[in-house]
Structure formats: C-alpha cells, structure tokens
C-alpha cells in the first residue's frame, strides 16, 4: 500500500508476519497506510524475539494512526535465540509494557472504538490461548490427542517453547484468560458491534480445512464457541492457520489475515503482504459459506513438527 493524502481512513488487519525471515521483514518495510487515519490490527506471530517484535510494531506504529496488537504463540515462546529469557506471564507482561512504550494498543488496554467508515465498532484485542479442546477425531482427552499427534509427527513447537508460568498448564492459563476476557466483553455497550482480534479463531470451523486435523489442538478453545453471537461480533479477525480467507458462520464474518512463511505465500496469486480490509467491509468477500476457501489451498506444516 502507498500513502494517499486525503483518502478516508480504513481499518486494516494482518498477522503472522514472521519477520525472522528476511523476505517477510522486507514486506513490513513496504507496508504503508492509505491515509493518515488508517488503523492496523496485528493478530500475532510478529516474530520470536522481543527485539524483532519491537522493530516491526515500532515501524508500523510510526506509520498508522493506531496499531492494535495481540500476542501469537511465537511471541510467547522462550526461544534460545532470544536474549530475553522470560517465561509465561512475565514474558507477556514484558511485551505489553514494550507496546505501551511504542503507543501500540494491547489486550490489557481499554478497547478502542473505531469511528471511521463502517463504524462505530469496538475493536477488542484478545489474548485467549488454547486448551486442547479441538481434539482430533476419535480422541476424547488431551492425552489421547497428544499421543495421536506424536504418532503422526505433527506436534506444535509450543510443547517445547511456550511456558505457562506461573500457571500449572497452558489450558489453565487459557481458562483464566477466557474468564477475564468474557467479563470485559460483557461490559461493552449493547448498541455497539464488536471486532474481536485474536491470534486463534473463536470458533473451530476454520480449522476444518487443515491438512493435519490434529494441529487444531493448538488453535483455540471450545469455551469461545458462542462468542460470535454472545458478544455481537461484526467481524472476527484471526491468524495462526496460515490460510488467508474469508468464511461465514451463523451470519458472522471470520477473517484469517495471515502472511505466513515465504514458502507459503510464494504459491499464492497476487502480491504478498497485502493488508486485509475489515471496515468498511469489502464489497465482495469471495466466500460463500462457512467452508468457503480462498484461492490459496491449505498449507501443510513442514518437517516432523509444526511451528505455527
């Protein structure tokens, strides 16, 4: 996108920038708003190191009127290449404080109201994690699901790098986040529609197209399955799956806004790193229902472990 003075402001979204890849860092360097009133929603997985996250969000915050960020699993990793070795809640809080220094809105801040074209609407950045409730077919428990995943070789790197400290488990951390976030969303005035932004989808249906269904265990929680109705959602913005597309579920628009890894976006038609319009909504979505796919086919995780 290039700057266009005097153009009306828009609400844009993107996720899974993964700027540890030089090609993806170059995409961020080329990102610019269409007007001085544009907002940008960043739905997680900017990078694995605090320094890279700071660079990317700082660069975007200098260009857009407002940047809203939510953490993905990669920001929460305690990665051996990152000199910041904080774990769990302490790492998340460190990232939140960094964002506040940059003027970037986080899930810990008051929810802003988009008053531009297509508004007003409350933009609600969320941090919810997952609780292994999106189990593979035939599995009844987390233990069975993990055993199945290890048998296929499709295991999210979170199992080794994302620590829940001081919570006893990732699912306990997830339950705490869901409870607090649900309380906050319930306080939003009933007359305002909501644009929730979360790294993971609020409903399981977007994971139905995964080549490896076992990976869904690391993609959300069934505790939020009715939130798109309960909290008057206009559009649910998420990433993580690396399958950019629009779907509709019970009349609610779900937007997967990932960039993904270079090996993935090189296969897609059109230029990479395009920002996705949220408000005003695009005139055509390209989706025909809850299972509608974009032109990009689902991309399989590479290697013996998935890294999304």
């Amino acid at each position: 996108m290039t700057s266009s003075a005097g153009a009306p402001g828009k609400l844009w979204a993107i996720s899974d920038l993964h700027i540890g890849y030089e090609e993806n860092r170059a995409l961020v360097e080329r990102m610019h708003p269409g007007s001085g009133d544009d907002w940008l929603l960043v739905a997680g997985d900017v990078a694995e190191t605090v320094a890279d996250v700071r660079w990317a969000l700082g660069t975007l915050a200098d260009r857009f009127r407002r940047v809203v960020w939510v953490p993905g699993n990669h920001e929460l990793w305690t990665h051996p290449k990152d000199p910041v070795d904080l774990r769990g809640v302490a790492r998340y809080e460190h990232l939140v404080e960094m964002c506040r220094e940059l003027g970037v809105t986080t899930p810990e801040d008051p929810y802003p109201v988009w008053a531009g074209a297509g508004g007003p609407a409350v933009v609600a950045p969320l941090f919810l994690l997952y609780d292994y409730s999106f189990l593979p077919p035939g599995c009844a428990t987390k233990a069975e699901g993990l055993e199945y995943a290890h048998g296929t070789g499709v295991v999210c790197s979170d199992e080794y790098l994302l620590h829940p400290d001081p919570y006893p488990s990732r699912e306990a951390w997830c339950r705490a986040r869901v409870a607090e976030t649900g309380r906050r969303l319930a306080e939003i005035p009933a007359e305002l529609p909501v644009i929730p932004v979360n790294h993971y989808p609020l409903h399981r249906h977007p994971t139905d197209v995964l080549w490896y269904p076992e990976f869904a265990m690391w993609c959300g929680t069934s505790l939020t399955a009715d939130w798109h109705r309960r909290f008057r959602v206009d559009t649910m913005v998420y990433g993580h799956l690396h399958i950019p597309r629009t779907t509709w579920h019970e009349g609610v628009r779900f937007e997967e806004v990932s960039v993904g890894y270079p090996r993935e976006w090189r296969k897609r038609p059109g230029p990479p790193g395009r920002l996705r319009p949220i408000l005003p909504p695009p005139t055509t979505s390209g989706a025909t229902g809850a299972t509608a796919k974009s032109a990009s086919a689902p991309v399989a995780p590479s290697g013996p472990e998935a890294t999304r």
Side-chain angles (χ1 to χ4, degrees):
M1 296 175 60
T2 57
S3 179
S4 177
K10 294 184 178 181
L11 182 64
W12 301 95
I14 202 158
S15 76
D16 295 78
L17 294 170
H18 293 293
I19 68 161
Y21 292 88
E22 287 300 322
E23 301 97 320
N24 285 27
R25 180 180 287 262
L27 295 178
V28 173
E29 290 173 339
R30 296 198 295 269
M31 287 178 186
H32 289 273
S35 85
D37 292 323
D38 286 0
W39 289 18
L40 180 62
L41 313 178
V42 181
D45 275 9
V46 174
E48 291 79 30
T49 70
V50 171
D52 277 350
V53 176
R54 177 184 288 274
W55 175 85
L57 293 180
T59 297
L60 296 170
D62 286 343
R63 298 172 181 175
F64 288 81
R65 174 61 61 89
R66 184 189 287 266
V67 171
V68 176
W69 166 83
V70 301
N73 54 314
H74 281 235
E75 286 99 334
L76 298 173
W77 285 357
T78 304
H79 201 284
K81 71 179 182 181
D82 190 356
V84 179
D85 61 357
L86 296 170
R87 294 163 59 110
V89 173
R91 184 173 184 86
Y92 171 60
E93 291 177 344
H94 180 78
L95 290 164
V96 167
E97 289 305 312
M98 181 198 72
C99 284
R100 287 173 172 166
E101 293 173 11
L102 299 172
V104 172
T105 302
T106 78
E108 305 311 305
D109 298 315
Y111 296 152
V113 175
W114 168 256
V122 174
V123 175
L126 312 181
F127 168 38
L128 300 176
L129 275 173
Y130 52 83
D131 61 1
Y132 303 90
S133 55
F134 293 176
L135 289 167
C139 297
T141 65
K142 172 187 172 182
E144 290 180 4
L146 288 177
E147 181 179 5
Y148 178 82
H150 280 280
T152 65
V154 179
V155 178
C156 186
S157 295
D158 291 7
E159 294 299 307
Y160 314 101
L161 298 173
L162 200 165
H163 306 287
D165 312 20
Y167 291 93
S169 64
R170 298 177 194 89
E171 53 265 48
W173 194 5
C174 173
R175 287 192 294 268
R177 294 297 313 185
V178 167
E180 173 60 16
T181 303
R183 181 193 64 77
R184 289 185 65 192
L185 290 173
E187 295 174 350
I188 295 174
E191 67 271 15
L192 290 174
V194 179
I195 308 288
V197 186
N198 189 49
H199 187 57
Y200 311 99
L202 294 180
H203 189 272
R204 182 171 183 164
H205 82 266
T207 71
D208 291 343
V209 297
L210 290 172
W211 281 359
Y212 299 110
E214 55 270 33
F215 190 72
M217 287 191 295
W218 296 276
C219 294
T221 170
S222 60
L223 294 173
T224 62
D226 67 344
W227 280 22
H228 59 288
R229 300 190 309 271
R230 179 180 169 193
F231 296 121
R232 305 173 308 283
V233 170
D234 175 281
T235 302
M236 198 275 123
V237 177
Y238 69 101
H240 188 57
L241 304 185
H242 295 195
I243 310 172
R245 61 179 186 146
T246 304
T247 61
W248 294 83
H249 182 69
E250 298 180 330
V252 176
R253 175 180 159 213
F254 282 66
E255 284 286 347
E256 210 281 8
V257 299
S258 296
V259 174
Y261 304 128
R263 67 176 183 270
E264 296 168 329
W265 55 251
R266 287 194 193 102
K267 300 176 182 178
R268 300 172 188 149
R274 290 169 292 177
L275 305 182
R276 297 288 291 276
I278 305 302
L279 290 178
T283 54
T284 58
S285 68
T288 58
T291 60
K293 300 178 184 179
S294 73
S296 301
V299 178
S302 65
E305 296 175 356
T307 57
R308 293 193 194 134

mmCIF file of all heavy atoms in Angstrom, residues 243-278:
data_model
loop_
_atom_site.group_PDB
_atom_site.id
_atom_site.type_symbol
_atom_site.label_atom_id
_atom_site.label_comp_id
_atom_site.label_asym_id
_atom_site.label_seq_id
_atom_site.Cartn_x
_atom_site.Cartn_y
_atom_site.Cartn_z
ATOM 1 N N ILE A 243 -3.768 -19.699 6.453
ATOM 2 C CA ILE A 243 -4.710 -19.954 5.365
ATOM 3 C C ILE A 243 -5.569 -18.697 5.209
ATOM 4 O O ILE A 243 -6.709 -18.647 5.696
ATOM 5 C CB ILE A 243 -5.592 -21.189 5.636
ATOM 6 C CG1 ILE A 243 -4.744 -22.397 6.033
ATOM 7 C CG2 ILE A 243 -6.435 -21.531 4.413
ATOM 8 C CD1 ILE A 243 -5.560 -23.596 6.491
ATOM 9 N N PRO A 244 -5.045 -17.646 4.581
ATOM 10 C CA PRO A 244 -5.808 -16.400 4.491
ATOM 11 C C PRO A 244 -7.083 -16.574 3.664
ATOM 12 O O PRO A 244 -7.042 -17.028 2.529
ATOM 13 C CB PRO A 244 -4.827 -15.440 3.815
ATOM 14 C CG PRO A 244 -3.852 -16.310 3.093
ATOM 15 C CD PRO A 244 -3.735 -17.556 3.913
ATOM 16 N N ARG A 245 -8.222 -16.239 4.254
ATOM 17 C CA ARG A 245 -9.510 -16.413 3.582
ATOM 18 C C ARG A 245 -10.610 -15.792 4.420
ATOM 19 O O ARG A 245 -10.415 -15.440 5.588
ATOM 20 C CB ARG A 245 -9.817 -17.890 3.363
ATOM 21 C CG ARG A 245 -9.919 -18.693 4.656
ATOM 22 C CD ARG A 245 -10.240 -20.161 4.394
ATOM 23 N NE ARG A 245 -10.460 -20.858 5.667
ATOM 24 C CZ ARG A 245 -11.320 -21.857 5.827
ATOM 25 N NH1 ARG A 245 -12.049 -22.270 4.815
ATOM 26 N NH2 ARG A 245 -11.464 -22.435 7.007
ATOM 27 N N THR A 246 -11.790 -15.701 3.821
ATOM 28 C CA THR A 246 -12.999 -15.255 4.500
ATOM 29 C C THR A 246 -13.952 -16.423 4.620
ATOM 30 O O THR A 246 -14.175 -17.144 3.648
ATOM 31 C CB THR A 246 -13.695 -14.135 3.710
ATOM 32 O OG1 THR A 246 -12.789 -13.061 3.499
ATOM 33 C CG2 THR A 246 -14.923 -13.621 4.451
ATOM 34 N N THR A 247 -14.502 -16.627 5.811
ATOM 35 C CA THR A 247 -15.583 -17.593 5.989
ATOM 36 C C THR A 247 -16.721 -16.906 6.719
ATOM 37 O O THR A 247 -16.554 -15.840 7.327
ATOM 38 C CB THR A 247 -15.133 -18.831 6.794
ATOM 39 O OG1 THR A 247 -14.711 -18.421 8.099
ATOM 40 C CG2 THR A 247 -13.991 -19.559 6.100
ATOM 41 N N TRP A 248 -17.880 -17.514 6.652
ATOM 42 C CA TRP A 248 -19.052 -17.008 7.364
ATOM 43 C C TRP A 248 -19.614 -18.143 8.222
ATOM 44 O O TRP A 248 -19.731 -19.280 7.755
ATOM 45 C CB TRP A 248 -20.123 -16.528 6.386
ATOM 46 C CG TRP A 248 -19.683 -15.338 5.592
ATOM 47 C CD1 TRP A 248 -18.930 -15.335 4.453
ATOM 48 C CD2 TRP A 248 -19.963 -13.976 5.900
ATOM 49 N NE1 TRP A 248 -18.713 -14.052 4.024
ATOM 50 C CE2 TRP A 248 -19.345 -13.190 4.892
ATOM 51 C CE3 TRP A 248 -20.676 -13.336 6.918
ATOM 52 C CZ2 TRP A 248 -19.421 -11.803 4.892
ATOM 53 C CZ3 TRP A 248 -20.755 -11.953 6.906
ATOM 54 C CH2 TRP A 248 -20.132 -11.200 5.904
ATOM 55 N N HIS A 249 -19.927 -17.828 9.457
ATOM 56 C CA HIS A 249 -20.508 -18.824 10.353
ATOM 57 C C HIS A 249 -21.653 -18.176 11.114
ATOM 58 O O HIS A 249 -21.458 -17.181 11.816
ATOM 59 C CB HIS A 249 -19.460 -19.358 11.325
ATOM 60 C CG HIS A 249 -19.983 -20.413 12.248
ATOM 61 N ND1 HIS A 249 -20.333 -21.671 11.817
ATOM 62 C CD2 HIS A 249 -20.227 -20.386 13.586
ATOM 63 C CE1 HIS A 249 -20.768 -22.387 12.835
ATOM 64 N NE2 HIS A 249 -20.721 -21.629 13.926
ATOM 65 N N GLU A 250 -22.849 -18.713 10.934
ATOM 66 C CA GLU A 250 -24.051 -18.183 11.575
ATOM 67 C C GLU A 250 -24.180 -16.688 11.335
ATOM 68 O O GLU A 250 -24.541 -15.915 12.232
ATOM 69 C CB GLU A 250 -24.050 -18.524 13.067
ATOM 70 C CG GLU A 250 -24.062 -20.030 13.320
ATOM 71 C CD GLU A 250 -24.068 -20.389 14.798
ATOM 72 O OE1 GLU A 250 -23.510 -19.608 15.600
ATOM 73 O OE2 GLU A 250 -24.619 -21.444 15.143
ATOM 74 N N GLY A 251 -23.882 -16.282 10.095
ATOM 75 C CA GLY A 251 -24.045 -14.895 9.691
ATOM 76 C C GLY A 251 -22.919 -13.969 10.092
ATOM 77 O O GLY A 251 -22.983 -12.770 9.833
ATOM 78 N N VAL A 252 -21.869 -14.496 10.715
ATOM 79 C CA VAL A 252 -20.748 -13.681 11.189
ATOM 80 C C VAL A 252 -19.534 -13.927 10.303
ATOM 81 O O VAL A 252 -19.203 -15.073 9.984
ATOM 82 C CB VAL A 252 -20.409 -13.985 12.661
ATOM 83 C CG1 VAL A 252 -19.181 -13.194 13.111
ATOM 84 C CG2 VAL A 252 -21.605 -13.647 13.550
ATOM 85 N N ARG A 253 -18.889 -12.850 9.931
ATOM 86 C CA ARG A 253 -17.705 -12.923 9.076
ATOM 87 C C ARG A 253 -16.467 -13.237 9.911
ATOM 88 O O ARG A 253 -16.201 -12.598 10.926
ATOM 89 C CB ARG A 253 -17.554 -11.581 8.360
ATOM 90 C CG ARG A 253 -16.322 -11.386 7.517
ATOM 91 C CD ARG A 253 -16.385 -9.989 6.909
ATOM 92 N NE ARG A 253 -15.076 -9.495 6.492
ATOM 93 C CZ ARG A 253 -14.713 -8.221 6.540
ATOM 94 N NH1 ARG A 253 -15.555 -7.309 6.997
ATOM 95 N NH2 ARG A 253 -13.517 -7.862 6.136
ATOM 96 N N PHE A 254 -15.706 -14.228 9.463
ATOM 97 C CA PHE A 254 -14.423 -14.578 10.070
ATOM 98 C C PHE A 254 -13.334 -14.301 9.037
ATOM 99 O O PHE A 254 -13.400 -14.806 7.913
ATOM 100 C CB PHE A 254 -14.386 -16.059 10.461
ATOM 101 C CG PHE A 254 -15.135 -16.393 11.731
ATOM 102 C CD1 PHE A 254 -16.515 -16.273 11.806
ATOM 103 C CD2 PHE A 254 -14.446 -16.844 12.852
ATOM 104 C CE1 PHE A 254 -17.200 -16.592 12.969
ATOM 105 C CE2 PHE A 254 -15.121 -17.166 14.028
ATOM 106 C CZ PHE A 254 -16.503 -17.034 14.088
ATOM 107 N N GLU A 255 -12.318 -13.509 9.418
ATOM 108 C CA GLU A 255 -11.234 -13.145 8.504
ATOM 109 C C GLU A 255 -9.906 -13.691 9.014
ATOM 110 O O GLU A 255 -9.431 -13.286 10.084
ATOM 111 C CB GLU A 255 -11.124 -11.628 8.358
ATOM 112 C CG GLU A 255 -12.192 -11.000 7.489
ATOM 113 C CD GLU A 255 -11.986 -11.261 5.999
ATOM 114 O OE1 GLU A 255 -10.878 -11.713 5.618
ATOM 115 O OE2 GLU A 255 -12.928 -11.011 5.236
ATOM 116 N N GLU A 256 -9.315 -14.627 8.267
ATOM 117 C CA GLU A 256 -7.964 -15.105 8.561
ATOM 118 C C GLU A 256 -7.006 -14.229 7.747
ATOM 119 O O GLU A 256 -7.093 -14.171 6.519
ATOM 120 C CB GLU A 256 -7.822 -16.576 8.169
ATOM 121 C CG GLU A 256 -6.827 -17.368 9.016
ATOM 122 C CD GLU A 256 -5.360 -17.186 8.665
ATOM 123 O OE1 GLU A 256 -5.040 -16.319 7.839
ATOM 124 O OE2 GLU A 256 -4.530 -17.923 9.224
ATOM 125 N N VAL A 257 -6.092 -13.526 8.424
ATOM 126 C CA VAL A 257 -5.343 -12.436 7.787
ATOM 127 C C VAL A 257 -3.834 -12.688 7.760
ATOM 128 O O VAL A 257 -3.037 -11.759 7.705
ATOM 129 C CB VAL A 257 -5.657 -11.092 8.488
ATOM 130 C CG1 VAL A 257 -7.139 -10.763 8.362
ATOM 131 C CG2 VAL A 257 -5.244 -11.105 9.967
ATOM 132 N N SER A 258 -3.430 -13.963 7.761
ATOM 133 C CA SER A 258 -2.015 -14.315 7.849
ATOM 134 C C SER A 258 -1.224 -13.940 6.599
ATOM 135 O O SER A 258 -1.719 -14.032 5.478
ATOM 136 C CB SER A 258 -1.853 -15.828 8.050
ATOM 137 O OG SER A 258 -2.400 -16.244 9.270
ATOM 138 N N VAL A 259 0.047 -13.611 6.827
ATOM 139 C CA VAL A 259 1.039 -13.586 5.756
ATOM 140 C C VAL A 259 1.649 -14.980 5.628
ATOM 141 O O VAL A 259 1.631 -15.596 4.571
ATOM 142 C CB VAL A 259 2.141 -12.543 6.029
ATOM 143 C CG1 VAL A 259 3.239 -12.629 4.970
ATOM 144 C CG2 VAL A 259 1.548 -11.136 6.058
ATOM 145 N N GLY A 260 2.192 -15.514 6.720
ATOM 146 C CA GLY A 260 2.773 -16.848 6.700
ATOM 147 C C GLY A 260 4.222 -16.840 6.255
ATOM 148 O O GLY A 260 4.850 -15.795 6.099
ATOM 149 N N TYR A 261 4.760 -18.021 6.064
ATOM 150 C CA TYR A 261 6.162 -18.174 5.689
ATOM 151 C C TYR A 261 6.346 -17.955 4.190
ATOM 152 O O TYR A 261 5.417 -18.186 3.396
ATOM 153 C CB TYR A 261 6.653 -19.575 6.070
ATOM 154 C CG TYR A 261 6.466 -19.933 7.523
ATOM 155 C CD1 TYR A 261 5.837 -21.116 7.893
ATOM 156 C CD2 TYR A 261 6.928 -19.081 8.531
ATOM 157 C CE1 TYR A 261 5.666 -21.448 9.231
ATOM 158 C CE2 TYR A 261 6.767 -19.418 9.868
ATOM 159 C CZ TYR A 261 6.130 -20.593 10.212
ATOM 160 O OH TYR A 261 5.967 -20.916 11.536
ATOM 161 N N PRO A 262 7.538 -17.530 3.762
ATOM 162 C CA PRO A 262 7.769 -17.310 2.323
ATOM 163 C C PRO A 262 7.407 -18.512 1.461
ATOM 164 O O PRO A 262 6.850 -18.352 0.367
ATOM 165 C CB PRO A 262 9.262 -16.987 2.258
ATOM 166 C CG PRO A 262 9.562 -16.353 3.583
ATOM 167 C CD PRO A 262 8.709 -17.110 4.565
ATOM 168 N N ARG A 263 7.699 -19.721 1.925
ATOM 169 C CA ARG A 263 7.395 -20.905 1.116
ATOM 170 C C ARG A 263 5.895 -21.055 0.892
ATOM 171 O O ARG A 263 5.461 -21.734 -0.058
ATOM 172 C CB ARG A 263 7.945 -22.167 1.791
ATOM 173 C CG ARG A 263 7.265 -22.528 3.106
ATOM 174 C CD ARG A 263 7.784 -23.854 3.669
ATOM 175 N NE ARG A 263 7.103 -24.241 4.884
ATOM 176 C CZ ARG A 263 7.483 -23.904 6.109
ATOM 177 N NH1 ARG A 263 8.565 -23.145 6.273
ATOM 178 N NH2 ARG A 263 6.795 -24.303 7.170
ATOM 179 N N GLU A 264 5.091 -20.428 1.768
ATOM 180 C CA GLU A 264 3.637 -20.483 1.628
ATOM 181 C C GLU A 264 3.125 -19.364 0.731
ATOM 182 O O GLU A 264 2.381 -19.613 -0.220
ATOM 183 C CB GLU A 264 2.984 -20.405 3.013
ATOM 184 C CG GLU A 264 3.329 -21.587 3.900
ATOM 185 C CD GLU A 264 2.939 -21.375 5.349
ATOM 186 O OE1 GLU A 264 2.950 -20.222 5.824
ATOM 187 O OE2 GLU A 264 2.622 -22.383 6.012
ATOM 188 N N TRP A 265 3.535 -18.112 1.028
ATOM 189 C CA TRP A 265 2.945 -17.011 0.261
ATOM 190 C C TRP A 265 3.463 -16.943 -1.169
ATOM 191 O O TRP A 265 2.808 -16.356 -2.038
ATOM 192 C CB TRP A 265 3.073 -15.679 0.981
ATOM 193 C CG TRP A 265 4.399 -15.159 1.440
ATOM 194 C CD1 TRP A 265 4.836 -15.066 2.724
ATOM 195 C CD2 TRP A 265 5.450 -14.573 0.639
ATOM 196 N NE1 TRP A 265 6.086 -14.481 2.785
ATOM 197 C CE2 TRP A 265 6.481 -14.159 1.522
ATOM 198 C CE3 TRP A 265 5.623 -14.357 -0.735
ATOM 199 C CZ2 TRP A 265 7.665 -13.557 1.071
ATOM 200 C CZ3 TRP A 265 6.792 -13.746 -1.187
ATOM 201 C CH2 TRP A 265 7.793 -13.362 -0.286
ATOM 202 N N ARG A 266 4.597 -17.546 -1.456
ATOM 203 C CA ARG A 266 5.074 -17.566 -2.845
ATOM 204 C C ARG A 266 4.130 -18.339 -3.758
ATOM 205 O O ARG A 266 4.102 -18.108 -4.976
ATOM 206 C CB ARG A 266 6.469 -18.196 -2.918
ATOM 207 C CG ARG A 266 7.591 -17.331 -2.370
ATOM 208 C CD ARG A 266 8.951 -17.885 -2.781
ATOM 209 N NE ARG A 266 10.032 -17.263 -2.032
ATOM 210 C CZ ARG A 266 10.659 -17.824 -1.007
ATOM 211 N NH1 ARG A 266 10.321 -19.050 -0.622
ATOM 212 N NH2 ARG A 266 11.633 -17.192 -0.380
ATOM 213 N N LYS A 267 3.361 -19.269 -3.204
ATOM 214 C CA LYS A 267 2.455 -20.096 -4.004
ATOM 215 C C LYS A 267 1.119 -19.408 -4.280
ATOM 216 O O LYS A 267 0.321 -19.919 -5.073
ATOM 217 C CB LYS A 267 2.190 -21.422 -3.285
ATOM 218 C CG LYS A 267 3.437 -22.250 -3.020
ATOM 219 C CD LYS A 267 3.092 -23.493 -2.221
ATOM 220 C CE LYS A 267 4.331 -24.315 -1.890
ATOM 221 N NZ LYS A 267 4.004 -25.518 -1.065
ATOM 222 N N ARG A 268 0.864 -18.293 -3.629
ATOM 223 C CA ARG A 268 -0.441 -17.652 -3.739
ATOM 224 C C ARG A 268 -0.460 -16.622 -4.866
ATOM 225 O O ARG A 268 0.547 -15.986 -5.150
ATOM 226 C CB ARG A 268 -0.818 -16.973 -2.419
ATOM 227 C CG ARG A 268 -0.904 -17.936 -1.252
ATOM 228 C CD ARG A 268 -1.096 -17.214 0.052
ATOM 229 N NE ARG A 268 -0.994 -18.147 1.183
ATOM 230 C CZ ARG A 268 -0.546 -17.834 2.383
ATOM 231 N NH1 ARG A 268 -0.152 -16.597 2.634
ATOM 232 N NH2 ARG A 268 -0.480 -18.738 3.334
ATOM 233 N N PRO A 269 -1.618 -16.427 -5.475
ATOM 234 C CA PRO A 269 -1.723 -15.389 -6.500
ATOM 235 C C PRO A 269 -1.680 -14.002 -5.858
ATOM 236 O O PRO A 269 -2.072 -13.819 -4.706
ATOM 237 C CB PRO A 269 -3.092 -15.661 -7.134
ATOM 238 C CG PRO A 269 -3.878 -16.338 -6.046
ATOM 239 C CD PRO A 269 -2.880 -17.167 -5.284
ATOM 240 N N GLY A 270 -1.212 -13.031 -6.592
ATOM 241 C CA GLY A 270 -1.181 -11.669 -6.094
ATOM 242 C C GLY A 270 0.041 -11.390 -5.258
ATOM 243 O O GLY A 270 0.747 -12.304 -4.814
ATOM 244 N N PRO A 271 0.306 -10.111 -5.008
ATOM 245 C CA PRO A 271 1.484 -9.729 -4.224
ATOM 246 C C PRO A 271 1.336 -10.140 -2.762
ATOM 247 O O PRO A 271 0.227 -10.130 -2.215
ATOM 248 C CB PRO A 271 1.530 -8.206 -4.368
ATOM 249 C CG PRO A 271 0.121 -7.809 -4.668
ATOM 250 C CD PRO A 271 -0.459 -8.935 -5.473
ATOM 251 N N PRO A 272 2.435 -10.506 -2.110
ATOM 252 C CA PRO A 272 2.368 -10.927 -0.698
ATOM 253 C C PRO A 272 2.252 -9.724 0.229
ATOM 254 O O PRO A 272 2.549 -8.587 -0.136
ATOM 255 C CB PRO A 272 3.699 -11.644 -0.501
ATOM 256 C CG PRO A 272 4.631 -10.936 -1.440
ATOM 257 C CD PRO A 272 3.805 -10.604 -2.655
ATOM 258 N N GLY A 273 1.832 -9.996 1.456
ATOM 259 C CA GLY A 273 1.814 -8.966 2.485
ATOM 260 C C GLY A 273 0.729 -7.928 2.322
ATOM 261 O O GLY A 273 0.823 -6.838 2.876
ATOM 262 N N ARG A 274 -0.328 -8.255 1.583
ATOM 263 C CA ARG A 274 -1.418 -7.291 1.416
ATOM 264 C C ARG A 274 -2.220 -7.173 2.712
ATOM 265 O O ARG A 274 -2.560 -8.177 3.334
ATOM 266 C CB ARG A 274 -2.343 -7.725 0.283
ATOM 267 C CG ARG A 274 -1.723 -7.604 -1.107
ATOM 268 C CD ARG A 274 -2.583 -8.293 -2.146
ATOM 269 N NE ARG A 274 -2.579 -9.740 -1.949
ATOM 270 C CZ ARG A 274 -3.299 -10.586 -2.682
ATOM 271 N NH1 ARG A 274 -4.082 -10.126 -3.624
ATOM 272 N NH2 ARG A 274 -3.236 -11.887 -2.446
ATOM 273 N N LEU A 275 -2.544 -5.962 3.106
ATOM 274 C CA LEU A 275 -3.388 -5.751 4.275
ATOM 275 C C LEU A 275 -4.822 -6.125 3.921
ATOM 276 O O LEU A 275 -5.288 -5.882 2.802
ATOM 277 C CB LEU A 275 -3.307 -4.296 4.730
ATOM 278 C CG LEU A 275 -1.901 -3.758 5.013
ATOM 279 C CD1 LEU A 275 -1.985 -2.311 5.501
ATOM 280 C CD2 LEU A 275 -1.180 -4.620 6.039
ATOM 281 N N ARG A 276 -5.539 -6.701 4.882
ATOM 282 C CA ARG A 276 -6.917 -7.135 4.642
ATOM 283 C C ARG A 276 -7.884 -6.089 5.169
ATOM 284 O O ARG A 276 -7.810 -5.691 6.347
ATOM 285 C CB ARG A 276 -7.169 -8.472 5.343
ATOM 286 C CG ARG A 276 -6.306 -9.610 4.823
ATOM 287 C CD ARG A 276 -6.725 -10.073 3.445
ATOM 288 N NE ARG A 276 -8.015 -10.746 3.508
ATOM 289 C CZ ARG A 276 -8.172 -12.035 3.817
ATOM 290 N NH1 ARG A 276 -7.110 -12.780 4.089
ATOM 291 N NH2 ARG A 276 -9.375 -12.567 3.848
ATOM 292 N N PRO A 277 -8.827 -5.623 4.346
ATOM 293 C CA PRO A 277 -9.792 -4.620 4.805
ATOM 294 C C PRO A 277 -10.817 -5.235 5.748
ATOM 295 O O PRO A 277 -11.393 -6.280 5.457
ATOM 296 C CB PRO A 277 -10.436 -4.138 3.508
ATOM 297 C CG PRO A 277 -10.314 -5.299 2.563
ATOM 298 C CD PRO A 277 -9.027 -5.993 2.932
ATOM 299 N N ILE A 278 -11.030 -4.570 6.887
ATOM 300 C CA ILE A 278 -12.036 -5.020 7.856
ATOM 301 C C ILE A 278 -13.230 -4.066 7.851
ATOM 302 O O ILE A 278 -14.363 -4.485 7.668
ATOM 303 C CB ILE A 278 -11.420 -5.119 9.270
ATOM 304 C CG1 ILE A 278 -10.176 -6.029 9.254
ATOM 305 C CG2 ILE A 278 -12.461 -5.633 10.260
ATOM 306 C CD1 ILE A 278 -10.422 -7.440 8.756
#
